[in-house]
Amino acid sequence: MKQSRECVIEEKQLLQLQRNFLKYESLFAHYPGMMYLLDHNGFITEINDFSEKLSRHSNVQIKNKHYKQFLSNSEYDKVHHYFNDTLLGNVTHFQTIFLSPDHEPFDVELINIPVFIEGVVEGVFTLVRDITNERAAAFALKDSKEKYRLIAEHTSELIRLVNVESEMVMYASPSHENVLGSPPAYYMGHSFYKDIHPDDRGLVDDLLRNINQEPAIVEFRRRHANGYWVILEDRATSIPSRIGDERMLVVVSRDITEKKHAERELQKTLKQLKDLKYALDESALVSVTDETGKITSVNAKFCEITEYSEDELLRNSHMILDSGYHPQSFFDEMNCKIQSGGVWKGEINNLTKNGHCFWVDTTIVPFIGENGAPYQYVYIRKDITDRKHAEELLHTSDKLSVIGELAAGVAHEIRNPLTSLKGFTQILKSRLNSENDQEFISIMLAELDRINMIVNEFMVLARPQAVTYEKTDIQELLQNVLTLIETQAILNNVQIYTRVIEHLPEITCSENQIKQVLINILKNAIEAMTDGGEIILSLYSFGDEIIIEVRDSGTGIPEHQLAHLGEPFYTTKKKGNGLGLMICRGIIQNHQGSFLIESKEGEGTVVSIKLPFQLSQDERR
């Protein structure tokens, strides 16, 4: 009975052993990691199926080999130490480096478990986990943390980590001390609103309430440790927090104080430039050319004065305004100066699109490029036409003053002897009977009359005579002038044609002075046609003015002479004295009218006179 009972127990033990072996075999076969069994000498006796994949070796290459063959030489002592410790009955856990068949290292984590048989360690059961990727990720994370730490500690920008709910600063970068004058500890653990300008708190509220993934950007002021305000541009980015539902913001701030100051200075400068441009555009003709002299820009006043549109001027040179007044050497000297980088200043006579001359005081400023050569030129012109006219009038006035003084002397020194000579000549004429003598006397008397006429003209200049203005029939006056001039016209083979509008109103004028003007103009026209020709005399009204126009078909007047006509002692005649036109112009001006001479060389001359029907009482002289 006792023997039977012992057999039953042995069967139960055998069954339990069998069950335990099956559990071990199942674990060994299905464990999704590397698992192998080492004897007490370190040789691999068993290895599971997953080991071939994870160890990067096949079973044939691993089984019955010593673990040393799969280790890096530098790791052997460490692994051997843990192996011996496990043989002493201790479970060991460590990391080491295995080698692939190609001797490529990979990181593993080992757990050595002692195998006890009847209380004696007979081997080592080892669990292996490939941690290559984990260690690579850990190193990468550590490297990233180090990089971010270096960036945070050495960047010039301020970096803060802010808890949105508590509004507390959790981290402040060392750069705070450089920018705001206080160390990071001054800010950490304190409100983000600390040292913010009161007027900018609303901006900070918006910043801290930012819940979008896109960074919020605001500008606000913080107080420096020394008391002044620093302007910062802040970028806040929301990041998840591991503590409950708290939100964290990474706030990166950049000191833009100097930038804002520069922007204000720039705006101020731009405003000044805008004002200067406005003032310049209002007072001057401004244009810009490229390095070749082609116009690239003009202002409105330039177009207004020159009578050209902007499109007509662009891509043209300024020679489009050439009046022909200046010689080529004038422009050669100008171009030489500006092309060498110098500023040129001078006065230029220009011509508008419609043929009107105007004067400009010009400054040309070259803009120099990096290569030392001009890349564009800025022309600043001021219209000085009125000033030039005033100068001409002043010049004429100076001449008249000299003439007046001369005339007074002539009147005093010549008039009396001239009277005596004429009287004695007339006595001789009455006493001499010879026809030849009479002819000579007549010539002498005629020349004395001519001298007397010149003296009278001088006298007019020296002491203007009182003038009587009366209502005059201008058509009748014109007919009287034609009667007086007709003989001279016939002798010079000149035909005079009239175009007169009938029933014109009477005008207020000095009849004798207007006759003097018309006779002078008609005589000049006749003398301009040495080979004969035609004169067209027109008379008509326009508005409240009467217009008299004398057009001849003579040789015309060169443009360089035309501007000087009417100046004292300036004449185009061999025997002229230059006083006739000057006196005519003065008479018309005293009648509140205008006197204009237009001429083209080879085509003839047109003299236009405009007179008002009625003179203003306060302007009569």
Side-chain angles (χ1 to χ4, degrees):
M1 187 75 176
K2 180 179 179 181
Q3 184 177 4
S4 174
R5 186 177 179 181
E6 289 176 351
C7 288
V8 171
I9 292 172
E10 289 175 356
E11 287 177 0
K12 287 183 177 180
Q13 289 175 341
L14 180 62
L15 181 60
Q16 184 63 39
L17 288 172
Q18 185 178 11
R19 292 173 65 87
N20 288 340
F21 177 77
L22 291 174
K23 290 178 181 179
Y24 161 76
E25 186 178 45
S26 177
L27 173 65
F28 198 77
H30 299 291
Y31 176 67
M34 185 176 179
M35 185 183 295
Y36 56 83
L37 184 64
L38 303 172
D39 63 17
H40 63 282
N41 292 317
F43 286 91
I44 298 173
T45 59
E46 296 290 340
I47 186 168
N48 69 344
D49 293 336
F50 287 98
S51 297
E52 180 178 355
K53 177 180 179 182
L54 299 178
S55 68
R56 305 173 190 179
H57 292 267
S58 66
N59 287 335
V60 176
Q61 293 172 305
I62 296 177
K63 198 170 182 180
N64 298 324
K65 292 186 179 181
H66 198 277
Y67 66 79
K68 180 181 179 180
Q69 299 182 34
F70 307 102
L71 294 173
S72 169
N73 292 334
S74 61
E75 294 291 305
Y76 176 73
D77 290 341
K78 180 176 72 172
V79 175
H80 185 66
H81 166 75
Y82 283 115
F83 178 74
N84 289 334
D85 192 28
T86 304
L87 291 177
L88 295 176
N90 300 313
V91 176
T92 58
H93 185 189
F94 61 96
Q95 295 178 355
T96 187
I97 300 173
F98 277 4
L99 295 176
S100 71
D102 297 327
H103 296 280
E104 291 291 332
F106 60 96
D107 298 304
V108 292
E109 180 185 60
L110 302 182
I111 299 176
N112 287 339
I113 303 171
V115 178
F116 288 93
I117 299 177
E118 295 182 357
V120 178
V121 177
E122 293 293 339
V124 174
F125 193 66
T126 302
L127 301 177
V128 183
R129 189 166 65 89
D130 188 344
I131 61 170
T132 304
N133 293 335
E134 290 182 16
R135 292 197 70 179
F139 279 121
L141 180 60
K142 181 179 179 182
D143 184 59
S144 296
K145 287 182 178 178
E146 181 64 15
K147 288 179 180 177
Y148 287 129
R149 182 187 68 79
L150 291 172
I151 291 173
E153 290 182 358
H154 295 91
T155 183
S156 60
E157 296 183 332
L158 310 182
I159 300 176
R160 296 187 185 196
L161 185 63
V162 182
N163 186 306
V164 176
E165 276 65 35
S166 66
E167 300 175 351
M168 293 295 176
V169 177
M170 312 304 295
Y171 169 80
S173 63
S175 52
H176 279 69
E177 189 163 6
N178 294 330
V179 177
L180 297 175
S182 299
Y186 177 78
Y187 303 96
M188 288 190 289
H190 294 85
S191 171
F192 186 74
Y193 288 94
K194 186 177 185 178
D195 70 18
I196 289 179
H197 194 287
D199 295 342
D200 296 340
R201 290 179 65 89
L203 296 172
V204 178
D205 288 339
D206 295 338
L207 181 71
L208 294 181
R209 300 300 176 266
N210 173 52
I211 58 174
N212 300 319
Q213 293 300 318
E214 293 295 326
I217 303 174
V218 296
E219 294 179 5
F220 56 85
R221 291 161 287 179
R222 286 190 178 277
R223 185 185 296 276
H224 190 274
N226 293 333
Y228 59 85
W229 295 102
V230 177
I231 304 174
L232 300 175
E233 180 185 75
D234 283 19
R235 293 172 177 265
T237 305
S238 179
I239 59 173
S241 172
R242 297 181 180 178
I243 305 174
D245 294 329
E246 291 184 345
R247 291 180 298 115
M248 305 292 287
L249 282 179
V250 174
V251 182
V252 180
S253 305
R254 182 164 59 97
D255 184 0
I256 60 170
T257 306
E258 292 186 2
K259 174 190 171 186
K260 299 299 287 186
H261 176 72
E263 287 178 354
R264 286 194 295 269
E265 288 299 314
L266 178 60
Q267 291 300 322
K268 182 179 178 181
T269 301
L270 291 175
K271 176 66 167 55
Q272 290 175 341
L273 289 175
K274 183 178 179 181
D275 292 343
L276 286 173
K277 182 179 182 301
Y278 174 77
L280 202 58
D281 285 343
E282 287 297 311
S283 62
L285 293 74
V286 182
S287 60
V288 181
T289 71
D290 60 18
E291 69 277 9
T292 66
K294 300 299 183 183
I295 299 173
T296 59
S297 174
V298 293
N299 68 346
K301 196 169 189 66
F302 191 100
C303 297
E304 175 189 344
I305 298 298
T306 65
E307 300 173 351
Y308 285 98
S309 69
E310 184 177 358
D311 289 339
E312 289 174 319
L313 291 166
L314 295 181
R315 295 173 297 280
N316 261 308
S317 76
H318 285 108
M319 293 307 292
I320 192 175
L321 304 175
D322 184 26
S323 65
Y325 180 88
H326 304 282
Q328 184 59 42
S329 59
F330 176 86
F331 297 105
D332 291 342
E333 181 183 351
M334 173 202 300
N335 292 329
C336 181
K337 181 72 176 288
I338 63 176
Q339 287 171 5
S340 62
V343 176
W344 186 89
K345 295 182 179 181
E347 296 179 354
I348 304 176
N349 182 277
N350 285 331
L351 199 66
T352 68
K353 180 180 179 180
N354 295 321
H356 300 117
C357 286
F358 67 100
W359 281 89
V360 284
D361 185 3
T362 304
T363 300
I364 308 175
V365 182
F367 282 20
I368 309 301
E370 294 181 357
N371 61 355
Y375 64 90
Q376 70 176 16
Y377 303 93
V378 175
Y379 290 68
I380 303 173
R381 295 175 170 89
K382 182 174 178 59
D383 186 356
I384 58 170
T385 306
D386 291 341
R387 192 193 82 189
K388 295 294 285 187
H389 287 165
E391 288 177 354
E392 290 176 4
L393 290 175
L394 181 61
H395 185 57
T396 302
S397 177
D398 291 340
K399 288 183 179 181
L400 288 174
S401 177
V402 172
I403 292 170
E405 294 177 6
L406 177 63
V410 168
H412 179 73
E413 299 295 335
I414 298 178
R415 196 82 180 263
N416 291 334
L418 187 63
T419 303
S420 298
L421 285 173
K422 187 174 182 180
F424 288 128
T425 303
Q426 289 174 337
I427 293 172
L428 286 174
K429 181 178 176 62
S430 65
R431 291 180 179 180
L432 297 175
N433 298 320
S434 172
E435 291 184 4
N436 290 335
D437 291 340
Q438 288 293 328
E439 182 180 356
F440 292 147
I441 294 299
S442 297
I443 294 173
M444 292 171 64
L445 287 172
E447 291 302 310
L448 287 172
D449 287 338
R450 184 169 178 273
I451 293 171
N452 190 57
M453 181 188 69
I454 295 173
V455 171
N456 286 335
E457 289 180 346
F458 273 104
M459 290 299 293
V460 170
L461 296 172
R463 184 177 66 254
Q465 305 297 311
V467 179
T468 302
Y469 294 93
E470 298 175 340
K471 289 285 186 178
T472 303
D473 184 339
I474 189 64
Q475 292 170 297
E476 183 178 341
L477 184 150
L478 192 61
Q479 190 59 49
N480 292 337
V481 169
L482 289 174
T483 301
L484 293 173
I485 207 73
E486 185 177 8
T487 302
Q488 184 177 352
I490 294 171
L491 292 174
N492 287 272
N493 195 27
V494 172
Q495 296 290 324
I496 300 177
Y497 299 96
T498 58
R499 295 176 180 174
V500 179
I501 303 299
E502 295 182 354
H503 308 301
L504 290 173
E506 293 183 335
I507 66 170
T508 302
C509 68
S510 169
E511 183 175 347
N512 288 332
Q513 285 192 343
I514 297 302
K515 279 183 180 180
Q516 181 181 354
V517 170
L518 293 176
I519 290 171
N520 195 305
I521 293 172
L522 288 168
K523 285 176 65 178
N524 286 343
I526 292 170
E527 292 170 1
M529 296 180 287
T530 55
D531 297 327
E534 295 180 352
I535 295 176
I536 299 176
L537 178 60
S538 302
L539 175 65
Y540 58 94
S541 63
F542 185 82
D544 57 356
E545 291 181 320
I546 196 78
I547 298 174
I548 305 170
E549 184 181 279
V550 179
R551 182 185 301 269
D552 67 53
S553 58
T555 56
I557 304 170
E559 188 168 354
H560 68 277
Q561 294 180 343
L562 192 61
H564 299 286
L565 291 182
E567 294 181 2
F569 306 119
Y570 185 87
T571 179
T572 59
K573 301 177 183 179
K574 292 182 179 181
K575 296 183 179 181
N577 54 36
L579 299 177
L581 283 179
M582 184 187 70
I583 294 172
C584 290
R585 192 186 298 272
I587 290 172
I588 297 303
Q589 288 176 350
N590 290 339
H591 280 72
Q592 302 166 21
S594 62
F595 187 90
L596 178 65
I597 301 176
E598 296 177 289
S599 184
K600 197 165 185 181
E601 195 169 6
E603 296 184 9
T605 302
V606 180
V607 178
S608 300
I609 299 171
K610 293 182 181 180
L611 294 170
F613 287 117
Q614 183 65 41
L615 297 179
S616 300
Q617 292 293 330
D618 56 345
E619 293 186 12
R620 292 184 182 180
R621 292 188 291 168

